[in-house]
Amino acid sequence: MATATKGKIGVLIEDHFDSTEYRKFNEFFPTKGYEVEYITHLWGQKELHFGSNPENNVVEEQVTVSTEVNDVNPSDYKGIICIGAYATDRLRYQVNPKKGEKNQAPAVVFLRNAVNTENVKLGAICHSLWLFCADNEMLKDKKVTCAHNIICDVENAGADVIFDGDQTADLVIDGNLITAKHPGVTDEFMEKFVEAIEANG
């Protein structure tokens, strides 16, 4: 494993994350010189332990997270990725939502700031655009791709979902946002994500 010297890639995570993305992120990004740091809302705890989505009734991957999303800034990272599966739905949870007020879940506030931070690349695979859907200002008029079963959510949040024939596109890049259809294109996503980071100079 290469020593991380180029900066950090932050990955927003919660329980029920995608195991394929998790494994590939941990393998690929360090070889390119980037540290992977997992970020979540810790709910006042020193650390939390999360498991991946079960595969054949087995939770194959476990992660311990100790970085509180309220304690970091988007500018601390070269790129920020929302991991796929149901983790990003869980990150949208608010204890006391207020009628008419934008979502104030800590991860949503962080992502809202990240969208408005220059030179920080943002990535989402499969279901992870759910976190962006918590505030339609984050996706308005953006060209994206996503899992077929959240197309309605993403379009309702104001994004333009790009198709390739009768399927959503494998990968779409629009400005600082890079989106991928599902975990099967994680390799291509990671390559493009690093290329985008390094194009910043």
Side-chain angles (χ1 to χ4, degrees):
M1 183 181 282
T3 301
T5 57
K6 296 179 180 178
K8 294 189 292 187
I9 292 174
V11 180
L12 287 161
I13 197 167
E14 238 280 1
D15 217 18
H16 295 282
F17 60 87
D18 183 81
S19 58
T20 297
E21 294 169 37
Y22 176 74
R23 286 191 291 267
K24 288 180 177 288
F25 292 168
N26 294 338
E27 293 165 2
F28 178 82
F29 290 125
T31 68
K32 297 296 183 181
Y34 295 93
E35 176 188 352
V36 178
E37 182 169 80
Y38 290 95
I39 311 164
T40 196
H41 181 40
L42 295 172
W43 299 97
Q45 305 300 307
K46 181 180 178 181
E47 61 187 27
L48 289 177
H49 310 281
F50 301 132
S52 61
N53 270 347
E55 297 179 35
N56 300 316
N57 296 317
V58 176
V59 176
E60 295 187 355
E61 300 292 343
Q62 305 276 346
V63 63
T64 298
V65 185
S66 58
T67 301
E68 165 60 52
V69 69
N70 286 319
D71 295 339
V72 292
N73 295 310
S75 58
D76 297 338
Y77 303 93
K78 296 290 186 179
I80 296 162
I81 299 170
C82 300
I83 203 163
Y86 300 106
T88 46
D89 180 40
R90 294 174 63 86
L91 284 165
R92 302 188 297 184
Y93 178 75
Q94 303 177 90
V95 177
N96 297 304
K98 294 180 175 61
K99 187 174 178 63
E101 182 180 82
K102 287 184 179 292
N103 188 304
Q104 296 299 314
V108 176
V109 172
F110 175 81
L111 189 60
R112 190 181 289 128
N113 291 335
V115 166
N116 296 308
T117 301
E118 287 187 23
N119 299 322
V120 176
K121 298 301 177 184
L122 304 174
I125 302 177
C126 197
H127 281 70
S128 64
L129 277 178
W130 261 342
L131 192 58
F132 286 80
C133 290
D135 181 347
N136 60 10
E137 290 300 317
M138 294 195 282
L139 280 183
K140 187 177 180 181
D141 299 326
K142 283 285 190 181
K143 291 178 168 54
V144 299
T145 188
C146 62
H148 287 184
N149 41 339
I150 67 163
I151 291 170
C152 53
D153 304 277
V154 174
E155 288 182 336
N156 286 339
D160 178 10
V161 178
I162 304 302
F163 279 71
D164 181 4
D166 60 357
Q167 303 280 313
T168 54
D170 282 350
L171 191 88
V172 174
I173 301 173
D174 186 354
N176 66 340
L177 178 61
I178 301 167
T179 54
K181 177 180 178 177
H182 53 51
V185 292
T186 302
D187 290 339
E188 182 183 0
F189 167 85
M190 294 186 302
E191 291 279 1
K192 295 296 184 184
F193 198 74
V194 168
E195 285 178 16
I197 289 171
E198 298 189 345
N200 278 346

